[in-house]
Amino acid sequence: MVGGWPQQLLGVAAITSWLTLLVMAALQVRRRWNGQREWSRKLVHIGTGAVVPIAWALGIDRLIAVPAAGVITLLAALNHRFRLLPAIEDVGRASYGTIAYGASITLLLLLFWPQQPAAVAAGVLVMAVGDGLAGLVGPLVASPSWHIWGQRKSVVGTTAMALGSLAMLLVVRQLAQAAGLPQPALGALLAIAAVAVLLEQAAVLGLDNFTVPLAAGWLWARLS
């Protein structure tokens, strides 16, 4: 096991602490802005993206990363069913997004961890930041909009998704370069961001939380 158990325990403690802080912050946001149910959920959605870079930096082993992601996905499913933490799940619409998000991270880890950590980071951060910004900014700023399968999409939200996705891909590219890992060319990053934006348009029941990370991560691995 890379780094030995002390390093692995440090990584687990760091990730657990980060997730705990996220939940506490989400509960505070829900209490402070109770009328904005999406805000607390998006805070967790965006903040969860940092888990992969933390795991990458601290060298979390596959034998820990994959089961941990599976357990978190199971907890998300239980929370979806029983609403134990409404600040994470209660958005007033039918959505399996939190479950799909956890499942996509688990599958990315199964496919690429630890040999291609940049692919996992790319998939997760595109969804975390790109989709998170779209969900926050889109409803707040008036702009032309349209509906796809009952889901409202807008120019501002879609632009936020595109810019947030590309920014995260550029960040991951820099991290991959620093680690001596292969990375896609700039044109390929633009293509990955475009695919992510297109998939995010089909957000019925929150299943874009599954398709977007997997597509972005797989394309990163293929195009590197």
Side-chain angles (χ1 to χ4, degrees):
M1 182 173 289
V2 177
W5 281 108
Q7 181 176 334
Q8 298 301 311
L9 291 174
L10 175 63
V12 171
I15 291 173
T16 301
S17 298
W18 175 249
L19 292 175
T20 301
L21 286 173
L22 276 181
V23 172
M24 292 172 62
L27 292 173
Q28 289 297 323
V29 169
R30 172 56 67 93
R31 280 194 286 266
R32 177 65 179 83
W33 294 283
N34 190 47
Q36 298 290 346
R37 293 185 175 185
E38 193 72 32
W39 290 6
S40 59
R41 186 171 182 264
K42 287 302 181 184
L43 174 64
V44 175
H45 183 94
I46 294 172
T48 300
V51 167
V52 174
I54 293 172
W56 183 2
L58 296 177
I60 298 297
D61 193 85
R62 177 185 179 88
L63 292 176
I64 294 176
V66 174
V71 169
I72 291 172
T73 303
L74 176 60
L75 292 175
L78 291 173
N79 189 55
H80 181 273
R81 175 65 179 85
F82 297 107
R83 295 295 195 274
L84 302 174
L85 292 172
I88 296 175
E89 193 60 56
D90 185 13
V91 292
R93 66 175 186 274
S95 175
Y96 298 93
T98 53
I99 304 171
Y101 195 18
S104 69
I105 295 174
T106 303
L107 188 51
L108 282 170
L109 290 168
L110 279 169
L111 290 172
F112 301 119
W113 195 266
Q115 291 79 11
Q116 300 184 67
V120 182
V124 173
L125 288 173
V126 161
M127 189 65 209
V129 177
D131 178 75
L133 289 177
L136 286 175
V137 177
L140 292 176
V141 181
S143 68
S145 63
W146 54 93
H147 286 81
I148 299 178
W149 294 330
Q151 301 292 314
R152 179 184 176 275
K153 300 295 174 181
S154 69
V155 169
V156 167
T158 300
T159 301
M161 172 69 185
L163 294 178
S165 297
L166 183 57
M168 288 302 98
L169 291 171
L170 289 170
V171 168
V172 176
R173 188 167 186 255
Q174 289 298 114
L175 294 175
Q177 286 178 343
L181 298 174
Q183 68 277 162
L186 179 58
L189 296 185
L190 292 171
I192 295 172
V195 170
V197 169
L198 288 174
L199 289 173
E200 194 270 339
Q201 296 291 299
V204 60
L205 297 177
L207 296 182
D208 57 317
N209 285 263
F210 187 78
T211 58
V212 171
L214 284 180
W218 182 81
L219 286 171
W220 179 284
R222 294 287 294 179
L223 298 174
S224 293

